[in-house]
Structures are given as structure tokens and as C-alpha cells.
């Protein structure tokens, strides 16, 4: 169901102020402008009709921006389809690496530096434990996804990581995690190593880092959280769908919008994930949303170790070959259905044909539309 209110509506109500806002840079402004125009007449589009039942549909083009609440569905499905072919019939763990708020000011000033360091420190931490024979003694793999937000759009950088429960030894043999895949590594020890790794990498990347900041970082308790293993590869896919192409806030969370403010829902995890509502002045909401627009060209989904682009072509077939046939069958997952632009929304036949390509002026006056904001890519 299409939401009543959208981030684009808030932007439209405050756009002159957005363009003048001193804390919104040119790259953020460009991204916000794309979200504002997405699937509107400003983007152009096309008119389709069903050759069987005559149903007419006007579709406006998508902005395809990775921060847009309306453009992630198809990208998410395509990415998951590609990852399904790489799933291993082994336990998977969900590990979260969080940065303390002590780094928030530096993240605002140099986001790429802070977030690149987060990725590197998380992988070095996992690698240190996995290659230690006391814990595993094998090379692991990791898929890491950066999120920068909290539930109220505050700055809260953290990595959601999927980690297979085991790794490849130097001889090329698969070694499973301890306890038959029910346990990965001790999180308290990981937290301490993660803090040390982050500070070490930060000092290498930023030699001028202030000593006061380093002291404050060591004075904080850093958090690494490892959830229990997924019950099967199908649940890994469900996780991927929720996290890989998630943005700071979805349109469905916005409940009310007026000329001055808006209200959105959030979960308070200090109260057992209780659902609450927050009201913000419109420009404050936009300022918070802009905090989570990543630097241009920044890669927010990264693959490491045996799951990296250079290694998985060898490691995945080798691991599958070593596992019993029964376990290989368990790796089968559900098929994901992608949007089919040829399918008629009325009769469900693949009989839609394009009648007219629209410029940036929209459809002819009076034309009946079935779904005016249909995604078109």
C-alpha cells in the first residue's frame, strides 16, 4: 500500500529553506533534489496499455538514488538474487560493530575517514579471532553493511555483518565454528580488540588526530554484538532483504505532515522496542535525514575474506564440495519475485505495451491512470 506521506512531501514544503541551509552541502542538496523529483512529472515517464484488457498505466521515472525511500525495492531484490547463488550450507552469524558517540563530531567533518576505518577495524577484529587457532584457525568471510542512523535519525554509525560459521584453513579445508556452529567468538574480548584496532587504523589514516580524542575513545566501552546463528540460509536471505538497501527512514514511518512539522514512528529499544511517535520541525527532520547521505562514491556494502569478489569464485565451490549432500540441499532458498513491467496490473498477463514516452510535462490531461507512481527503471 502506498504511504500517505513521504520524505518528498516534507522536502517540497521546505525546499527554499533547504537550498539556503548552511549545514546541507552541495552533494546532499543534489541527493535531496533527486528524492524530491522521484516518480513525478519532473522525471518524465511513459504510458502503457494492456493489449488484452485495455488497462492504462502511467509510470513516472525513478531517480534511482540509493538514499531514496522509493527506489530501493528493485535494487534490493536484484542484490539478493545475486547473493543467493553464493550461500553456503553452514550456520551464519549476525555481528554488529558500533562506534561510540565520541566519534560523531569527527564523522560529521570527515565521514569517509570514519566509516572506512569502521569497515577496516571490524574486518581486522574478525580476522584476528578467526585465524587464531584457539578460536578457529581458518580464514573467515564477511559481508558488511553500513548504517549510520538511530531510530530517531540521530547519528549512530554501525556495521551489520553476516559471518559464516567457519572458514578455510591454509590447506583449503573447511573448519566449522565451535560448538557445531552454535558459537562464534567471545564478544567481550572482541569489543576490546575492536577498540584497539579502530584506534590503530585511525592513527594511521589521520596522524594529526587529537590525543584528547584518543584518550576519550579508550575511556569508552565499545560494543560488539553477536546474535545467535540464523536457523538456515533462507533466514539469511530475509536478513539481507531487511538490511542491505535500508535507508534512514521509510515513507511508511511518516504519519503526519503539515506546513511546519511532521510526526514519525520509531522504536525505543530501551523500552523493549516499544513503538513511539516523535514530532519534529520540518527543517530539523531534513537536517537529520541529510546526515545519513553518504559521501559520493562511498561503498556501503563490502565483502571480505572467502566471500570477497576475488576469492569467492574459488572458495565457495571448494567448501560446497567438502560438505555432505544433505547439507547442500538445505542451502536451497525461496525464489524472489521481481517486478515485471510487462505484466498487466488488471489481468496479470504479460501484455503491456508502451503507447507514449512522456517528457517532463507528464501525461495528457484527463488520462485515467491505474498507478501514477509506478516504478520504472
Amino acid at each position: 500500500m502506498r504511504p500517505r506521506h513521504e520524505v518528498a512531501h516534507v522536502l517540497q514544503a521546505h525546499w527554499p529553506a533547504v537550498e539556503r541551509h548552511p549545514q546541507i552541502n552541495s552533494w546532499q542538496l543534489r541527493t535531496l533534489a533527486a528524492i524530491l523529483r522521484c516518480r513525478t512529472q519532473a522525471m518524465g515517464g511513459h504510458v502503457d496499455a494492456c493489449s488484452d484488457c485495455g488497462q492504462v498505466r502511467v509510470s513516472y521515472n525513478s531517480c534511482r538514488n540509493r538514499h531514496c525511500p522509493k527506489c530501493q525495492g528493485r535494487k534490493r531484490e536484484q542484490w539478493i538474487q545475486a547473493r543467493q547463488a553464493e550461500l553456503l550450507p553452514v550456520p551464519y552469524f549476525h555481528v554488529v560493530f558500533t562506534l561510540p558517540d565520541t566519534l560523531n563530531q569527527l564523522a560529521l567533518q570527515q565521514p569517509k575517514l570514519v566509516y572506512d576505518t569502521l569497515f577496516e577495524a571490524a574486518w581486522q577484529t574478525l580476522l584476528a579471532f578467526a585465524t587464531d587457532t584457539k578460536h578457529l584457525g581458518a580464514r573467515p568471510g564477511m559481508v558488511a553493511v553500513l548504517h549510520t542512523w538511530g531510530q530517531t535519525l540521530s547519528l549512530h554509525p554501525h556495521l551489520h555483518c553476516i559471518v559464516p560459521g567457519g572458514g578455510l584453513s591454509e590447506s583449503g579445508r573447511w573448519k566449522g565454528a565451535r560448538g557445531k556452529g552454535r558459537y562464534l567468538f567471545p564478544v567481550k574480548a572482541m569489543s576490546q580488540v575492536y577498540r584497539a584496532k579502530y584506534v590503530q587504523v585511525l592513527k594511521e589514516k589521520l596522524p594529526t588526530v587529537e590525543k584528547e580524542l584518543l584518550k576519550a575513545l579508550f575511556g569508552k566501552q565499545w560494543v560488539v554484538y553477536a546474535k545467535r546463528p540464523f536457523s538456515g540460509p533462507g533466514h539469511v536471505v530475509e536478513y539481507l532483504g531487511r538490511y542491505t538497501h535500508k535507508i534512514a527512514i521509510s515513507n511508511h514511518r511518516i504519519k503526519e505532515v503539515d506546513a511546519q512539522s511532521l510526526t514519525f514512528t520509531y522504536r525505543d529499544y530501551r523500552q523493549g522496542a516499544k513503538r513511539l511517535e516523535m514530532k519534529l520541525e520540518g527543517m530539523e527532520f531534513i537536517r537529520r535525514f541529510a546526515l545519513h547521505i553518504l559521501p559520493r562514491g562511498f561503498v556501503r556494502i563490502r565483502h571480505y575474506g572467502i566471500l570477497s569478489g576475488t576469492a569467492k569464485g574459488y572458495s565457495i565451490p571448494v567448501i560446497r564440495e567438502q560438505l555432505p549432500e544433505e547439507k547442500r540441499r538445505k542451502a536451497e532458498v525461496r525464489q524472489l519475485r521481481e517486478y515485471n513491467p510487462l505484466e498487466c496490473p488488471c489481468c496479470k498477463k504479460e501484455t503491456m505495451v508502451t503507447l507514449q514516452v512522456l517528457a517532463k510535462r507528464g501525461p495528457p490531461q484527463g488520462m485515467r491512470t491505474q498507478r501514477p507512481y509506478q516504478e520504472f527503471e
Side-chain angles (χ1 to χ4, degrees):
M1 182 182 296
R2 185 182 164 201
R4 288 176 52 218
H5 305 289
E6 300 177 357
V7 172
H9 298 158
V10 186
L11 291 171
Q12 186 175 28
H14 299 275
W15 191 248
V18 173
E19 292 182 303
R20 299 190 304 267
H21 199 286
Q23 293 179 286
I24 296 178
N25 62 41
S26 59
W27 177 247
Q28 293 169 335
L29 185 63
R30 180 176 173 178
T31 299
L32 295 175
I35 296 172
L36 176 65
R37 298 192 307 269
C38 185
R39 300 190 202 173
T40 67
Q41 295 181 11
M43 295 293 291
H46 60 145
V47 180
D48 296 329
C50 178
S51 60
D52 189 57
C53 71
Q55 177 71 43
V56 176
R57 177 181 65 199
V58 176
S59 305
Y60 294 125
N61 294 342
S62 300
C63 69
R64 304 188 188 186
N65 192 287
R66 61 176 171 172
H67 300 94
C68 179
K70 292 185 286 193
C71 286
Q72 305 313 304
R74 187 176 182 183
K75 291 180 181 179
R76 180 177 59 245
E77 295 297 302
Q78 290 173 334
W79 194 86
I80 292 174
Q81 290 276 9
R83 300 289 81 75
Q84 282 188 151
E86 301 168 4
L87 282 174
L88 295 168
V90 301
Y92 280 81
F93 293 83
H94 176 192
V95 184
V96 183
F97 293 87
T98 303
L99 288 182
D101 56 11
T102 311
L103 284 163
N104 280 4
Q105 190 59 41
L106 184 60
L108 292 173
Q109 297 168 355
Q110 300 190 58
K112 186 178 186 304
L113 168 73
V114 172
Y115 302 152
D116 277 338
T117 306
L118 171 57
F119 276 103
E120 191 168 337
W123 172 239
Q124 286 191 13
T125 301
L126 186 67
L127 196 61
F129 279 84
T131 54
D132 189 334
T133 54
K134 292 187 299 183
H135 299 291
L136 181 62
R139 184 169 179 79
M142 180 176 82
V143 178
V145 184
L146 174 67
H147 286 185
T148 62
W149 56 86
Q151 280 283 302
T152 59
L153 300 185
S154 58
L155 193 61
H156 179 59
H158 55 285
L159 285 186
H160 289 276
C161 305
I162 296 176
V163 181
L168 278 178
S169 67
E170 290 185 1
S171 61
R173 302 299 300 175
W174 171 257
K175 291 187 67 176
R178 295 167 61 183
K180 296 183 179 180
R182 294 190 295 270
Y183 175 80
L184 191 58
F185 308 125
V187 291
K188 288 185 178 180
M190 286 182 72
S191 299
Q192 295 176 355
V193 172
Y194 165 50
R195 178 177 61 186
K197 294 288 186 184
Y198 191 95
V199 171
Q200 178 186 352
V201 176
L202 182 63
K203 288 166 65 177
E204 293 171 357
K205 291 179 178 290
L206 186 65
T208 59
V209 62
E210 298 178 356
K211 292 182 179 180
E212 291 77 9
L213 175 59
L214 297 178
K215 183 178 179 181
L217 292 177
F218 276 110
K220 281 274 188 177
Q221 291 291 329
W222 289 48
V223 178
V224 175
Y225 178 62
K227 291 185 177 181
R228 62 187 179 187
F230 295 99
S231 58
H235 289 82
V236 177
V237 172
E238 294 291 343
Y239 166 84
L240 289 172
R242 287 199 307 270
Y243 285 93
T244 52
H245 291 76
K246 197 172 184 180
I247 60 169
I249 187 170
S250 68
N251 287 331
H252 289 280
R253 285 177 56 193
I254 302 175
K255 298 304 177 185
E256 298 293 338
V257 175
D258 58 37
Q260 288 78 37
S261 63
L262 79 157
T263 302
F264 64 93
T265 62
Y266 71 97
R267 290 190 181 276
D268 188 341
Y269 291 101
R270 296 180 181 178
Q271 301 185 48
K274 184 178 180 181
R275 186 180 290 274
L276 302 173
E277 291 189 352
M278 173 172 284
K279 187 174 183 178
L280 289 177
E281 190 272 329
M283 275 308 302
E284 172 60 14
F285 171 84
I286 295 169
R287 184 195 69 81
R288 293 192 188 190
F289 184 88
L291 291 176
H292 310 295
I293 296 174
L294 296 173
R296 186 173 187 172
F298 188 87
V299 180
R300 66 181 295 263
I301 305 175
R302 305 186 187 185
H303 300 71
Y304 294 88
I306 60 175
L307 299 181
S308 68
T310 56
K312 63 186 178 184
Y314 164 79
S315 60
I316 291 175
V318 165
I319 294 169
R320 286 177 174 165
E321 187 64 29
Q322 295 178 31
L323 294 171
E325 181 65 30
E326 181 181 354
K327 288 188 176 182
R328 282 187 249 171
R329 285 197 298 269
K330 289 181 180 179
E332 297 177 4
V333 294
R334 67 179 178 88
Q335 292 296 313
L336 299 170
R337 186 176 182 273
E338 201 175 338
Y339 168 69
N340 182 1
L342 299 178
E343 183 180 290
C344 175
C346 179
C347 65
K348 305 303 180 183
K349 298 177 182 177
E350 293 189 1
T351 49
M352 297 297 286
V353 294
T354 299
L355 301 181
Q356 181 181 359
V357 176
L358 304 173
K360 297 181 181 180
R361 54 183 172 79
Q365 291 294 321
M367 176 171 284
R368 181 176 66 89
T369 62
Q370 188 272 335
R371 189 179 179 186
Y373 290 91
Q374 174 66 48
E375 180 176 0
F376 167 61
E377 297 184 320

